[in-house]
Amino acid sequence: MERRNFLWGAATAAHQVEGDNQHSDWWRWEKEGNIEGGALSGKACDHWRLFREDLQLAKSLGLNSYRFSIEWAKIEPVQGEWNEEAFAWYDSLLQECEKLEIVPMITLHHFTLPAWMADKGGFAVKESITHFVRFASEVIRRFGDRIPLWCTFNEPLVLCLGAYLGGFMPPAKNNPELIGVASRNILDAHALTYDLLHRRRKKRLGPFAHFPLEVGIAHNMMDFLPDRVWHPIEQIVAGALDRFYNRAWLDAITGAKQNFGLLGLIKAPEQNKMLHGHRTADYIGVNFYTKAFVRWKPRDSGEGVITQLPLGVSFARKEEPQSDMGWAIHPDGLRKALECAASYNLPIYVTENGIADRADRYRRGYIFDHLLEISKANENGANIRGFYYWSLLDNFEWSKGFGPRFGLFEVDYETKERKARASALAYRDIIRAHEGTAAPQADILKSLR
Ligand code: IFM
């Protein structure tokens, strides 16, 4: 496979698909009854057993890349003890990717922690940096030769907000100061892992050896809009949230500045001076789903009220088309996010984009329209190298349990049977029609739409 080919992918995360993540903080959190309807991740999609079949499904759509995470809680279930069985499983998964010429993009942290690490305070404590880097080094030592694309952290800000403000992730503390503290620790862990990968002198091996090493993060971005366009406070707050949510992490990993503070609600932590002017990303990974309306003094608590401020956030107007999560379908926002990412002058991967749509009513159009925005952003000078649909399979959607269905393939959770949705076949046709092209093309997309 040519290095310059556009990467047509799909993404998953270990905890959401593999099953039996028994030594993780989420496993315990689920047992404590924190998931909608009392759901437990349990066997999830049983990807652990069915991964070969799942990669065949990916191949059947013509995907040439697969983004997945390596689960720290499985690799190091007990502090200091590596689990050889887990390493062997990830080795088989990589072998399967190699056999099928599916380029792996590896995420090292996707929301979950080993329970022992959570007990120590997770990323809110400084020692998490050492523990994470030790885990990352071991993964790199074993698999570093074979993997070109690395994503150190998935959506670090969402993790910090979920854990220390929103209450939708363990440990669900309401302590905004910890958002800044944990962000700073994660940034340090990311930067050290970036250096580890780049300082490695060993020759790369296998079918992807000619791919340059690229390391980055997958960053969730949203289009913040004032609920009332004329409202000056809402305009200011939307701008502040854009800086905080969309730009702060991109500033930090490109060495521009570090500012994880927000409007007096989140205290900015002490700077890591070593990172001033030091870029720790080779690409920017953009996870994009929707927009957010910001409302000053919301009328009711149904508007996602941030308790510390008289501020409401909602993800769609009642009348507009939206996903089963209640997120507006807003392809234009992806282009805006990509143009923001492109201003950092790095290549971009759309590391996640997708829709929870059980009936598969919107997914086909969703994929087309978002790819069209990618083609526009490319025309405007962005350098977008790949697109990963979220998700390959229906899976465990964190605090929402198994209700939301994001998959190209529908999963019957009883029998574990997979079935291609019509939109998956549309994605396959788009990929086929792009053979020999370097990126999504507006004319091709329009002719198929
Ligand atoms: O399922 C999640 C994923 O784990 C991270 N990004 C957003 C997805 C949809 O909510």
Side-chain angles (χ1 to χ4, degrees):
M1 185 187 156
E2 285 300 314
R3 164 61 194 94
R4 290 262 34 101
N5 285 0
F6 189 76
L7 295 185
W8 294 97
T12 62
H15 188 79
Q16 294 178 270
V17 295
E18 287 176 5
D20 283 333
N21 195 13
Q22 296 177 12
H23 301 282
S24 66
D25 57 345
W26 269 83
W27 190 265
R28 192 166 61 191
W29 168 254
E30 292 159 18
K31 291 233 144 75
E32 288 163 4
N34 289 300
I35 311 300
E36 252 179 52
L40 302 172
S41 57
K43 290 273 173 205
C45 310
D46 209 0
H47 185 59
W48 193 260
R49 183 171 59 89
L50 298 169
F51 70 97
R52 289 200 173 83
E53 188 183 303
D54 291 338
L55 282 196
Q56 285 295 344
L57 295 178
K59 191 71 190 173
S60 73
L61 302 185
L63 303 190
N64 57 9
S65 192
Y66 176 44
R67 174 176 171 236
F68 61 92
S69 67
I70 294 193
E71 181 58 51
W72 184 6
K74 286 192 179 175
I75 294 291
E76 196 180 4
V78 176
Q79 186 182 359
E81 288 180 22
W82 303 129
N83 175 357
E84 292 305 326
E85 198 199 323
F87 273 119
W89 187 82
Y90 287 109
D91 180 52
S92 309
L93 182 57
L94 280 172
Q95 278 183 37
E96 210 58 23
C97 290
E98 289 162 352
K99 192 172 91 195
L100 299 174
E101 295 208 315
I102 292 180
V103 183
M105 177 188 272
I106 305 300
T107 307
L108 286 169
H109 186 271
H110 196 122
F111 292 164
T112 46
L113 282 174
W116 61 262
M117 184 64 246
D119 290 341
K120 288 178 187 293
F123 284 108
V125 297
K126 262 227 155 352
E127 62 174 297
S128 59
I129 304 171
T130 320
H131 294 302
F132 178 81
V133 173
R134 188 170 167 276
F135 153 68
S137 320
E138 190 61 17
V139 173
I140 295 167
R141 187 177 77 75
R142 299 196 190 218
F143 299 138
D145 300 346
R146 298 154 68 186
I147 301 169
L149 283 169
W150 296 79
C151 168
T152 56
F153 284 87
N154 178 74
E155 299 179 354
L157 184 55
V158 175
L159 171 74
C160 296
L161 289 170
Y164 304 119
L165 183 68
F168 56 90
M169 289 191 180
K173 286 191 181 154
N174 192 346
N175 184 350
E177 193 171 335
L178 292 182
I179 295 171
V181 174
S183 299
R184 162 69 203 270
N185 291 337
I186 294 175
L187 176 66
D188 287 5
H190 157 78
L192 288 164
T193 308
Y194 177 89
D195 282 349
L196 265 179
L197 279 158
H198 277 282
R199 272 194 272 107
R200 213 166 165 271
R201 290 283 159 252
K202 280 186 71 191
K203 205 163 156 268
R204 297 249 313 284
L205 303 169
F208 312 119
H210 58 297
F211 277 58
L213 172 70
E214 291 179 285
V215 187
I217 64 166
H219 177 49
N220 190 292
M221 298 182 79
M222 241 188 277
D223 191 8
F224 288 95
L225 301 165
D227 193 37
R228 294 160 288 186
V229 269
W230 50 267
H231 199 289
I233 301 181
E234 288 175 7
Q235 289 165 7
I236 292 169
V237 174
L241 285 173
D242 176 55
R243 276 190 299 283
F244 167 73
Y245 193 90
N246 292 327
R247 291 177 190 270
W249 264 93
L250 300 186
D251 287 343
I253 59 173
T254 52
K257 61 179 175 216
Q258 292 157 38
N259 186 2
F260 295 119
L262 173 70
L263 297 170
L265 170 67
I266 300 169
K267 205 171 125 217
E270 194 197 318
Q271 306 271 301
N272 177 345
K273 299 220 172 60
M274 304 274 286
L275 294 182
H276 287 170
H278 183 60
R279 178 169 60 76
T280 57
D282 306 309
Y283 71 85
I284 291 174
V286 173
N287 289 5
F288 179 85
Y289 291 88
T290 193
K291 60 185 162 187
F293 291 107
V294 177
R295 188 166 180 107
W296 191 247
K297 299 197 176 148
R299 289 154 299 201
D300 60 65
S301 56
E303 292 185 74
V305 178
I306 298 176
T307 42
Q308 290 83 351
L309 291 174
L311 193 64
V313 176
S314 57
F315 299 108
R317 302 220 189 271
K318 282 194 189 70
E319 63 284 1
E320 67 186 327
Q322 49 193 268
S323 74
D324 298 342
M325 302 280 282
W327 297 348
I329 300 175
H330 183 53
D332 187 48
L334 174 60
R335 187 188 38 73
K336 287 188 183 168
L338 293 172
E339 287 175 2
C340 168
S343 69
Y344 292 86
N345 293 317
L346 285 175
I348 298 168
Y349 291 94
V350 176
T351 33
E352 284 181 28
N353 175 239
I355 180 167
D357 177 20
R358 179 184 285 263
D360 207 30
R361 184 153 61 117
Y362 296 120
R363 191 175 284 101
R364 181 180 184 280
Y366 185 100
I367 295 175
F368 268 98
D369 294 345
H370 285 79
L371 286 171
L372 198 57
E373 296 304 317
I374 292 180
S375 76
K376 286 187 205 162
N378 267 337
E379 273 167 32
N380 295 346
N383 172 12
I384 302 154
R385 295 192 174 166
F387 171 82
Y388 294 83
Y389 178 80
W390 182 271
S391 176
L392 180 65
L393 307 168
D394 288 340
N395 60 46
F396 180 74
E397 178 56 24
W398 306 111
S399 61
K400 302 272 175 208
F402 288 106
R405 302 274 184 155
F406 280 90
L408 291 168
F409 291 89
E410 184 182 343
V411 175
D412 177 327
Y413 291 114
E414 288 296 311
T415 63
K416 308 297 181 213
E417 197 190 327
R418 280 78 161 130
K419 204 159 90 205
R421 293 200 159 97
S423 50
L425 304 181
Y427 187 31
R428 177 198 64 191
D429 294 345
I430 294 172
I431 298 170
R432 271 192 196 153
H434 278 85
E435 208 182 320
T437 62
Q441 306 289 313
D443 52 343
I444 299 180
L445 291 164
K446 284 181 187 151
S447 73
L448 292 173
R449 180 82 161 88

